[in-house]
Amino acid sequence: MNRTNEIISINSISQIPTLEAIRTIPRERTLKLIFEKGVENKRQAVGQNLKTELVGFQVGIHTIEPEINISKLITVKEIDDNKDFFEQCAKDYRQLGEELLYKLVDKLDLKLNKDFPMDTFNELKRDNRQIGKLENWKYFVHGFHCGFENKTTGQIIEVPLVFGQEFGDLDPYFFSRFVKSTPKYKPLPVDIFEEYADGKRINEKMLTLGKFEKISSNVDNHYGIVVSERPKVEIKSHLDLEKLYKEQNKQTENPKFNFWNFIGLKK
């Protein structure tokens, strides 16, 4: 379902809808406030106040155009009512991500660093294998992920590379895109309009319900969110990886270990 826009021209502050009126807007509609000449300078202050007051809404203050866009996010009740659906989506995400990742490893004849897969996939960033095809999928290695897109169905999934052999990390934006692009979920039991913001609320509520849980990462000060009901895997920390690296290279004259160089991001 696509959203519709309700546009209101603002010539004076008194024309701004009340908070009570805004809260009644359905999720299927976006409210666009256009600030006309004479009140353009009020836009930032009004927008910041709306952000503070409208919990459960996304308030976008346009950086160039004199407008504020307001949309209601997925509600706690909607998430609670569909918790079993989101839990199954998370399980499917994890299973498909693992399946595609290992298929790609086999196809490219890679020696997977099971403690830190990103170390293996960084090799692909240095040659022409960073982008390619796997069966009916296109893949693209970037950042902390390897993305896959099905050329027939359009299904999209981003497989994380910094959680050891745990490939089910649910980045809010990536998780939303996966849910929306998976054919077997259509029609969705509940609409997701704002892929990052709705995804973030889904994750937060599912955490409080105990359906999702946080996990640590190979990268310092980085964590992920995964479905709680799953086979648990060990995830080595940044310090564990540093220790392993030093033990493996203690007989050589390698330079001092630098984690950010190790993962392919100089710092």
Side-chain angles (χ1 to χ4, degrees):
M1 180 183 293
N2 295 321
R3 273 182 162 157
T4 59
N5 285 327
E6 179 182 349
I7 301 175
I8 300 178
S9 295
I10 306 298
N11 291 288
S12 69
I13 297 302
S14 63
Q15 292 179 308
I16 297 174
T18 65
L19 294 174
E20 291 72 18
I22 294 175
R23 291 189 180 107
T24 65
I25 296 173
R27 287 215 298 128
E28 295 77 19
R29 188 190 313 159
T30 294
L31 179 63
K32 184 185 293 287
L33 305 181
I34 307 293
F35 286 70
E36 305 294 347
K37 290 182 178 180
V39 291
E40 288 176 295
N41 61 339
K42 305 291 185 182
R43 178 171 54 95
Q44 282 291 339
V46 170
Q48 291 301 329
N49 181 63
L50 291 174
K51 283 187 175 185
T52 300
E53 297 293 337
L54 292 173
V55 177
F57 284 75
Q58 179 160 274
V59 179
I61 308 171
H62 205 288
T63 57
I64 300 175
E65 300 299 328
E67 65 184 51
I68 295 174
N69 294 282
I70 306 169
S71 52
K72 188 174 185 178
L73 299 175
I74 190 170
T75 67
V76 170
K77 184 178 186 306
E78 286 175 317
I79 301 169
D80 191 43
D81 289 346
N82 293 280
K83 57 182 178 294
D84 292 339
F85 169 72
F86 289 123
E87 181 181 34
Q88 186 58 54
C89 291
K91 291 178 179 179
D92 293 346
Y93 190 107
R94 186 177 191 270
Q95 180 179 341
L96 179 60
E98 182 176 297
E99 175 186 322
L100 290 172
L101 199 286
Y102 283 125
K103 280 186 177 182
L104 185 57
V105 167
D106 289 342
K107 177 188 176 179
L108 299 179
D109 195 24
L110 301 174
K111 184 177 180 181
L112 182 65
N113 183 335
K114 295 181 179 180
D115 292 321
F116 188 45
M118 188 171 172
D119 178 41
T120 300
F121 279 81
N122 273 338
E123 297 176 19
L124 308 186
K125 299 177 183 178
R126 293 189 283 268
D127 55 38
N128 61 3
R129 295 178 298 166
Q130 183 175 0
I131 300 173
K133 298 177 181 179
L134 174 69
E135 297 176 352
N136 203 37
W137 297 81
K138 296 184 294 184
Y139 76 83
F140 173 42
V141 181
H142 64 100
F144 287 174
H145 294 81
C146 181
F148 294 87
E149 181 177 356
N150 190 290
K151 293 182 288 184
T152 300
T153 67
Q155 186 182 30
I156 299 170
I157 185 170
E158 295 277 349
V159 185
L161 303 173
V162 291
F163 296 93
Q165 295 184 81
E166 174 56 72
F167 301 115
D169 170 47
L170 304 170
D171 172 275
Y173 177 70
F174 294 152
F175 185 41
S176 290
R177 294 188 75 203
F178 169 77
V179 173
K180 292 176 68 174
S181 66
T182 299
K184 73 175 183 179
Y185 300 154
K186 297 178 180 179
L188 295 180
V190 58
D191 287 312
I192 298 174
F193 292 109
E194 302 295 337
E195 292 174 342
Y196 175 78
D198 282 343
K200 185 171 183 289
R201 283 175 68 82
I202 291 168
N203 279 356
E204 290 171 348
K205 180 58 180 177
M206 294 293 281
L207 283 170
T208 66
L209 292 172
K211 297 289 187 179
F212 290 176
E213 65 182 27
K214 289 185 178 181
I215 57 171
S216 59
S217 166
N218 299 138
V219 178
D220 194 25
N221 294 320
H222 182 62
Y223 72 89
I225 294 176
V226 294
V227 66
S228 299
E229 189 177 293
R230 72 190 192 286
K232 305 297 193 291
V233 298
E234 180 186 7
I235 302 174
K236 285 186 167 57
S237 70
H238 154 245
L239 295 177
D240 292 332
L241 291 174
E242 180 176 349
K243 183 178 179 181
L244 282 173
Y245 178 88
K246 288 180 177 179
E247 288 176 352
Q248 292 169 0
N249 294 277
K250 60 184 177 182
Q251 301 300 325
T252 70
E253 296 183 359
N254 284 337
K256 184 178 179 181
F257 177 84
N258 182 296
F259 180 74
W260 295 101
N261 285 336
F262 180 53
I263 67 175
L265 297 174
K266 293 183 179 181
K267 188 175 182 180

